[in-house]
């Protein structure tokens, strides 16, 4: 085999080796200290929404708020009007604290924002 063919064969082998090395799984790039969290109990949507409503009623800063809660497969959408950003943050935090929650979608509005638009 002449030198030109040997060079081509070597180049092809080198490219093949480099491409195989770059094909690692995503899991191989995760830090060794990370572990998949254990799966919690599955909470049905009705119970999830009821648990969030109970938490809101038990909290003095948001117990009188008219917050609408819709749950679907562990994902919750919050709607309605709150007086201020602190109340909105509190409602969102209480929703995230509910057992079985996967996602919180905030569709709440501030009452003051609605008043500013009317002016």
């Amino acid at each position: 085999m002449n030198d030109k063919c040997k060079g081509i064969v070597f180049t092809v082998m080198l490219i093949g080796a480099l491409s195989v090395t770059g094909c690692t799984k995503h899991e191989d790039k995760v830090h060794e200290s990370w572990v998949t969290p254990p799966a919690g109990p599955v909470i049905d949507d009705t119970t999830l929404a009821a648990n969030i409503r109970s938490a809101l009623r038990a909290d003095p800063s948001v117990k009188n708020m008219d917050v609408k809660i819709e749950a679907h497969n562990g994902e919750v959408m919050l709607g309605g009007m709150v007086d201020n950003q602190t109340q909105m943050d509190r409602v969102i935090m209480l929703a995230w604290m509910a057992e079985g929650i996967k996602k919180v979608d905030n569709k709440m509005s501030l009452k003051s924002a609605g008043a500013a638009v009317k002016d």
Side-chain angles (χ1 to χ4, degrees):
M1 200 184 266
N2 64 21
D3 289 337
K4 189 173 186 178
C5 287
K6 287 181 185 178
I8 293 173
V9 170
F10 177 74
T11 303
V12 169
M13 288 177 56
L14 181 62
I15 291 172
L18 291 175
S19 65
V20 169
T21 323
C23 295
T24 58
K25 296 181 194 173
H26 171 69
E27 293 83 19
D28 295 342
K29 295 180 182 180
V30 175
H31 191 270
E32 63 193 32
S33 66
W34 187 84
V35 293
T36 303
V42 176
I43 308 291
D44 68 280
D45 295 331
T46 305
T47 304
L48 180 59
N51 290 344
I52 294 170
R53 279 188 197 93
S54 295
L56 295 178
R57 280 191 297 257
D59 190 290
S61 62
V62 294
K63 70 179 181 180
N64 296 322
M65 296 287 98
D66 182 27
V67 177
K68 294 167 187 58
I69 302 167
E70 293 180 25
H72 183 67
N73 293 330
E75 297 182 7
V76 174
M77 186 183 76
L78 304 172
M81 302 286 279
V82 293
D83 294 331
N84 55 51
Q85 186 65 46
T86 303
Q87 288 177 335
M88 185 181 295
D89 294 341
R90 184 71 178 170
V91 170
I92 294 168
M93 183 193 73
L94 290 169
W96 271 113
M97 291 173 63
E99 187 174 2
I101 196 78
K102 295 177 185 173
K103 179 182 175 186
V104 175
D105 186 13
N106 177 25
K107 300 290 184 187
M108 293 182 290
S109 301
L110 296 174
K111 289 181 182 177
S112 59
V117 172
K118 292 179 185 177
D119 289 340

